[in-house]
């Protein structure tokens, strides 16, 4: 079982020619409203990856809540531990440029009320994985990590954004997943500043937590017990990169859940991230198990 304790948002996505600079206004022709939130996106991708998945989080009592969760229902994610609160459902305001790059501002809303006590009835234990991100309160995620670790479950933390990551809980985390800038930031928090993400991941691994760095078009690096793995990026035609890191996390943990080792899971996470970039929005691509294995098989030939 994979339990995702994390955020759920409704995403407002606008395509523009170029991303705005500070103080600049840019215009796009229209906008789309879609389900999002790093936690919900990761739960969706884990379920499509074939894992029994439970999502734990908080939404409002507004119409955005059901819209944000609809894809998870369709993917078979267990939502019985999602709480409804009086705060508004989280929302993300996203601009995407012609190359598919994005900028995101999030209004957290109900996500800040997600309660780690909701994990208590789920029976997390050995063989299970708790998957966390940085969009809840850092204290809530740290408490969830401590609970899962004490229960013998595997803990995977995607420190995105780093502001939602409490470095003092690193000893409760088995695998940290970060992008390049997050890798540098976490290494700084640990008192081991490094100049490049690969060295930062190595330092984090040396501190006792395996570390994965997603590098977009440069692929993925993973450090585990002093050994480095590199997975090259899959050749795909990018629609946008929204949620690529989330699909990586979902596909990666789903592969671990199916019994793959670190290297096999890195490969499948990278394939899921690539598949997610081939459709619009955070849940627009198809990081399902069949698509992932097709990409992995095509690469192996
Ligand atoms: O990682 C992409 C996600 O970040 C979006 O779905 C948005 O909601 C923000 O949480």
């Amino acid at each position: 079982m994979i339990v995702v304790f994390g955020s759920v948002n409704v995403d407002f996505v606008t395509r523009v020619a170029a991303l705005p600079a500070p103080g600049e206004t840019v215009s796009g022709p229209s906008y789309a409203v879609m389900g999002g939130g790093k936690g919900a996106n990761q739960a969706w991708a884990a379920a499509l990856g074939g894992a029994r998945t439970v999502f734990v989080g908080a939404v409002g009592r507004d119409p955005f809540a059901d819209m944000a969760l609809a894809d998870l229902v369709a993917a078979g994610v267990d939502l019985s531990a999602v709480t409804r609160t009086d705060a508004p459902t989280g929302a993300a305001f996203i601009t995407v440029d012609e190359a598919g790059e994005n900028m995101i501002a999030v209004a957290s809303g109900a996500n800040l009320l997600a309660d780690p006590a909701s994990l208590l009835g789920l029976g997390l234990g050995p063989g299970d994985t708790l998957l966390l991100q940085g969009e809840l309160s850092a204290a809530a995620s740290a408490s969830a990590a401590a609970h899962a670790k004490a229960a013998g479950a595997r803990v995977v933390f995607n420190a995105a954004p780093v502001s939602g990551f409490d470095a003092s809980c690193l000893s409760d985390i088995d695998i940290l997943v970060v992008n390049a800038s997050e890798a540098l930031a976490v290494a700084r928090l640990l008192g081991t500043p490094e100049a490049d993400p690969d060295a930062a991941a190595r330092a984090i691994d040396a501190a006792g937590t395996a570390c994965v760095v997603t590098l977009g078009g440069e692929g993925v690096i993973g450090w585990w017990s002093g050994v480095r793995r590199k997975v090259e990026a899959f050749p795909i035609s990018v629609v946008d990169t929204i949620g690529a890191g989330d699909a990586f996390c979902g596909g990666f943990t789903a592969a671990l859940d199916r019994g793959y080792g670190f290297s096999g899971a890195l490969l499948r996470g990278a394939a899921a991230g690539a598949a997610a970039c081939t459709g619009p929005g955070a849940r627009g691509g198809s990081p399902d198990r069949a698509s992932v294995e097709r990409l992995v098989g095509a690469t192996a030939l």
Side-chain angles (χ1 to χ4, degrees):
M1 167 175 70
I2 295 176
V3 174
V4 181
F5 179 53
S7 57
V8 50
N9 296 330
V10 62
D11 289 354
F12 296 86
V13 184
T14 311
R15 295 197 81 100
V16 296
L19 299 176
E24 188 186 6
T25 299
V26 295
S27 301
S30 189
Y31 66 95
V33 186
M34 317 173 168
K38 296 187 194 303
N41 298 342
Q42 293 182 15
W44 173 76
L48 291 185
R52 185 185 148 216
T53 307
V54 180
F55 175 69
V56 182
V59 293
R61 299 184 206 283
D62 45 54
F64 289 138
D66 289 338
M67 184 189 299
L69 291 169
D71 300 318
L72 280 70
V73 173
V77 177
D78 180 342
L79 299 177
S80 56
V82 172
T83 50
R84 305 255 166 186
T85 74
D86 289 333
T89 299
F93 304 92
I94 304 177
T95 45
V96 183
D97 72 11
E98 283 171 347
E101 268 310 328
N102 64 71
M103 283 175 64
I104 305 179
V106 173
S108 300
N111 290 309
L112 295 181
L113 301 179
D115 186 352
S118 306
L119 298 169
L120 296 179
L122 300 177
L124 268 169
D128 297 325
T129 300
L130 176 68
L131 177 55
L132 301 160
Q133 318 75 35
E135 288 191 323
L136 302 184
S137 91
S141 295
S143 161
H147 164 69
K149 186 71 175 176
R154 177 195 291 124
V155 179
V156 179
F157 201 129
N158 173 214
V162 173
S163 56
F165 170 67
D166 175 355
S168 70
C169 78
L170 200 66
S171 57
D172 290 326
I173 299 169
D174 296 293
I175 305 172
L176 188 76
V177 182
V178 282
N179 66 18
S181 61
E182 292 154 0
L184 300 180
V186 171
R188 270 197 307 276
L189 285 175
L190 297 181
T192 53
E194 295 288 350
D196 74 88
D198 195 353
R202 181 185 188 163
I204 294 163
D205 177 53
T209 298
C211 184
V212 174
V213 191
T214 57
L215 298 168
E218 303 298 310
V220 179
I221 290 170
W223 279 92
W224 179 293
S225 295
V227 179
R228 178 185 189 271
R229 280 88 166 171
K230 173 85 200 285
V231 174
E232 298 302 331
F234 289 86
I236 44 135
S237 169
V238 174
V239 173
D240 69 50
T241 58
I242 304 169
D246 300 334
F248 172 88
C249 291
F252 174 70
T253 48
L256 291 174
D257 188 71
R258 293 208 304 278
Y260 284 100
F262 189 55
S263 300
L266 284 178
L267 192 59
R268 284 161 179 82
C277 293
T278 60
R283 304 183 206 147
S286 51
D288 57 276
R289 190 170 167 181
S291 307
V292 163
E293 294 306 329
R294 247 193 321 274
L295 276 172
V296 169
T299 308
L301 292 177

